[in-house]
């Protein structure tokens, strides 16, 4: 153990910094050292908006200059989805540890290249699925491991909200360039749907989607086949009332996690039931999963331990997403191998 703080740089003035910047500032083992933006004034403005009390943070007018800063040990990448892979690799080549926003990359080949580079430069890289650091999922795992609900047979994972028309620009990029609901929120629904099956790869996926006028997928339903009658259903989109939940059905009962990609002020609720008549609900304490994610990654770097979310996990999620997109395009079930 060490009481050192990991020195962070942020590689873009993105909206998500509203969450991540305060998380880096408040994480007990982390220090915000710099932020870069390619747009003049944007980095300084982001800093004054989201971390106004941080006085000595360096401002860079391009990401490359930030990467050359030897003081910085780790970078957080909040760039647009189609820029992630190239900047992850550049950061690695500068010897930085990297936490990259989801999705880490749009292709499996890019994740392979990231893995090779990370091994070569001996740095840690993790995909930013912050929700996994919320203690509610450890509680769900504890219930599954206790055998209370028996063997997991089926999962249902939903993430949706009504996107304001003014915000549709966010997903208007082509799907190949990281636009659409799949890359934006579907990646969460699929990641969470896999959770109760641990690291098992699904055998196949079937999916269907509605597309917006710009060609981006806007709502989607799909099924992952984990074999032997075990399925995970994912459902996400921008044309529904807000849902952010998953449900797991086993041979003896079920568990529901009611607010998965929780807004910070939402009380985390887990409920479970058994065929034997047990019916429980637990309200967990509020937790900031962004801050927990930063503390986890900083801890891994400072103590040379493995990040909870591996590059193999990122690769599998990317493979499933691409297979689901292929299923949408072809109308066929796609085998995953
Ligand atoms: N974990 C979560 O809860 C969560 C939530 C939302 C999004 N995300 C992910 O986080 C990443 C960023 O999403 P975001 O919605 O925050 O992106 P965003 O605000 O659109 O910013 C993405 C990048 O685009 C550039 N940019 C920002 N505003 C711009 C503008 N007005 N004109 C031109 N360029 C601009 C910035 O780079 P420069 O500063 O260098 O120009 C920025 O880093 C995505 O990968 C997304 O999937 C995660």
């Amino acid at each position: 153990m060490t009481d050192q703080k990991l020195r962070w740089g942020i590689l873009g003035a993105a909206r998500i910094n509203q969450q991540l910047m305060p998380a880096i500032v408040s994480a007990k083992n982390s220090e915000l050292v710099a932020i870069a933006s390619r747009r003049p004034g944007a980095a300084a403005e982001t800093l004054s908006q989201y971390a106004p009390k941080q006085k000595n943070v360096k401002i860079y007018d391009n990401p490359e200059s930030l990467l050359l800063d030897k003081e910085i040990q780790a970078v957080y990448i909040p760039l647009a989805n189609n820029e992630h892979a190239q900047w992850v690799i550049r950061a690695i080549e500068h010897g930085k540890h990297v936490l990259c926003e989801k999705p880490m990359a749009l292709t499996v080949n890019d994740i392979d290249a990231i893995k090779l580079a990370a091994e070569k430069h001996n740095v840690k890289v993790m995909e930013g699925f912050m929700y996994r650091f919320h203690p509610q999922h450890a509680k769900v795992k504890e219930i599954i491991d206790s055998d209370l609900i028996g063997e997991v047979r089926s999962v249902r994972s939903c993430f949706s909200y009504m996107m304001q028309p003014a915000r549709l620009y966010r997903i208007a990029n082509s799907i190949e360039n990281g636009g659409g609901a799949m890359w934006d929120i579907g990646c969460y629904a699929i990641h969470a749907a896999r959770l109760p099956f641990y690291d098992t790869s699904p055998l196949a996926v079937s999916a269907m989607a509605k597309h917006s006028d710009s060609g981006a997928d806007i709502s989607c339903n799909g099924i992952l086949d984990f074999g032997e009658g075990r399925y995970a259903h994912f459902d996400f989109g921008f044309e529904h009332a807000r849902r952010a939940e998953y449900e797991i059905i086993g041979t003896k009962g079920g568990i529901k996690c009611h607010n998965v990609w929780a807004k910070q002020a939402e009380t985390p609720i887990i409920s479970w039931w058994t065929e034997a008549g047990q019916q429980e609900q637990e309200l967990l304490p509020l937790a900031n999963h962004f801050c927990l994610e930063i503390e986890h990654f900083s801890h891994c770097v400072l103590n040379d331990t493995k990040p909870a979310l591996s590059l193999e996990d990122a690769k599998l999620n990317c493979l499933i997403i691409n297979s689901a997109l292929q299923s949408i395009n072809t109308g066929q079930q796609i085998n995953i191998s």
Side-chain angles (χ1 to χ4, degrees):
M1 287 294 279
T2 168
D3 56 5
Q4 271 183 298
K5 290 187 172 205
L6 188 71
R7 298 187 299 276
W8 285 83
I10 299 179
L11 227 56
R15 266 186 338 121
I16 186 63
N17 282 317
Q18 183 170 11
Q19 309 296 337
L20 261 297
M21 211 176 239
I24 295 174
V25 169
S26 61
K28 51 185 184 294
N29 55 1
S30 309
E31 182 187 349
L32 180 59
V33 171
I35 172 167
S37 173
R38 294 159 294 192
R39 286 164 299 131
E45 191 187 331
T46 299
L47 184 65
S48 69
Q49 268 184 310
Y50 304 140
K53 293 190 183 144
Q54 299 303 298
K55 298 297 173 213
N56 298 316
V57 177
K58 293 180 248 185
I59 303 290
Y60 287 107
D61 61 8
N62 67 74
E64 198 67 46
S65 308
L66 186 150
L67 293 179
L68 289 168
D69 184 334
K70 295 266 184 286
E71 198 193 349
I72 293 165
Q73 297 168 285
V75 295
Y76 164 63
I77 299 186
L79 295 167
N81 293 344
N82 57 340
E83 295 189 297
H84 289 178
Q86 54 177 304
W87 282 103
V88 171
I89 290 178
R90 277 202 227 180
I92 292 172
E93 287 170 351
H94 283 81
K96 309 300 184 197
H97 302 278
V98 184
L99 173 65
C100 179
E101 262 309 331
K102 40 55 63 175
M104 176 174 287
L106 303 179
T107 68
V108 166
N109 285 347
D110 278 346
I111 298 200
D112 283 338
I114 289 169
K115 190 162 187 284
L116 267 180
E119 282 163 5
K120 179 173 171 199
H121 293 272
N122 195 25
V123 294
K124 299 189 193 295
V125 181
M126 189 175 90
E127 187 173 33
F129 277 118
M130 78 303 171
Y131 83 98
R132 281 293 276 272
F133 297 90
H134 196 293
Q136 61 186 340
H137 309 295
K139 176 73 191 176
V140 168
K141 182 170 186 305
E142 193 184 305
I143 296 171
I144 295 173
D145 289 349
S146 75
D147 196 37
L148 200 70
I149 67 158
E151 191 197 334
V152 173
R153 303 303 301 168
S154 147
V155 179
R156 182 181 64 82
S157 152
C158 312
F159 195 6
S160 65
Y161 53 91
M162 287 297 295
M163 185 174 272
Q164 304 305 320
R167 283 269 159 87
L168 281 172
Y169 76 91
R170 277 191 59 211
I171 56 157
N173 240 348
S174 67
I175 293 170
E176 294 71 32
N177 280 317
M182 177 69 85
W183 291 117
D184 197 21
I185 57 173
C187 58
Y188 285 118
I190 287 176
H191 202 250
R194 293 172 41 218
L195 195 149
F197 296 110
Y198 302 112
D199 292 327
T200 313
S201 176
L203 304 175
V205 59
S206 297
M208 56 189 77
K210 175 190 166 187
H211 294 84
S212 69
D213 293 343
S214 71
D217 58 306
I218 197 157
S219 67
C220 172
N221 265 256
I223 299 175
L224 299 172
D225 180 356
F226 283 88
E228 297 175 359
R230 299 173 306 158
Y231 298 102
H233 175 221
F234 55 89
D235 156 13
F236 56 86
F238 292 125
E239 296 183 319
H240 323 62
R242 182 175 167 82
R243 294 161 312 149
E245 61 189 32
Y246 63 80
E247 187 173 28
I248 303 163
I249 306 298
T251 48
K252 298 194 286 188
I255 312 171
K256 184 168 173 182
C257 193
H258 292 251
N259 32 24
V260 183
W261 302 281
K263 294 186 173 172
Q264 219 177 299
E266 273 174 7
T267 301
I269 302 171
I270 295 175
S271 57
W272 63 97
W273 55 272
T274 65
E275 293 237 88
Q278 196 179 351
Q279 205 122 54
E280 306 277 351
Q281 176 167 291
E282 188 169 320
L283 275 52
L284 283 89
L286 293 180
N288 181 338
H289 46 202
F290 293 103
C291 187
L292 293 167
E293 173 190 48
I294 294 291
E295 285 181 348
H296 170 77
F297 191 74
S298 293
H299 177 90
C300 291
V301 173
L302 294 169
N303 298 282
D304 194 20
T305 54
K306 277 192 183 164
L309 296 173
S310 65
L311 286 173
E312 287 73 24
D313 180 70
K315 181 173 170 176
L316 182 52
N317 221 52
C318 184
L319 175 63
I320 296 170
I321 289 171
N322 277 294
S323 304
L325 290 171
Q326 197 185 338
S327 173
I328 291 167
N329 284 341
T330 59
Q332 304 290 312
Q333 174 175 305
I334 304 297
N335 290 331
I336 296 173
S337 55

